[in-house]
Amino acid sequence: MNTIFQIAGIGIIVAMMHTVLKQMGKEDWAHWVTLIGFVVVLYMVATIIDDLFQKIRSVFLFQA
């Protein structure tokens, strides 16, 4: 549940920064902020999926 709130928080912060930068006329920076936010969230999800696969492997292959 913590991870869901972290991802939602990152999304809210990125959306606010994107809106502010776009209003200031810095659309290039706004797109970069969005891209960096997406990469951060993608890394978080990939880490969680890796942990899930490690747990599944340990259950079915009896490894610690």
Side-chain angles (χ1 to χ4, degrees):
M1 207 65 184
N2 260 350
T3 307
I4 293 172
F5 287 127
Q6 286 177 346
I7 291 172
I10 291 171
I12 291 169
I13 290 169
V14 167
M16 288 185 340
M17 289 176 67
H18 182 85
T19 303
V20 168
L21 287 169
K22 195 169 182 182
Q23 290 294 324
M24 291 173 56
K26 302 197 183 279
E27 289 152 10
D28 298 346
W29 285 97
H31 291 302
W32 278 109
V33 166
T34 304
L35 181 65
I36 291 170
F38 176 73
V39 169
V40 168
V41 169
L42 189 63
Y43 178 76
M44 290 173 62
V45 170
T47 304
I48 293 167
I49 290 174
D50 181 53
D51 290 341
L52 174 66
F53 283 139
Q54 293 297 327
K55 287 179 184 177
I56 290 172
R57 184 184 300 167
S58 71
V59 167
F60 287 112
L61 298 178
F62 304 109
Q63 294 177 353

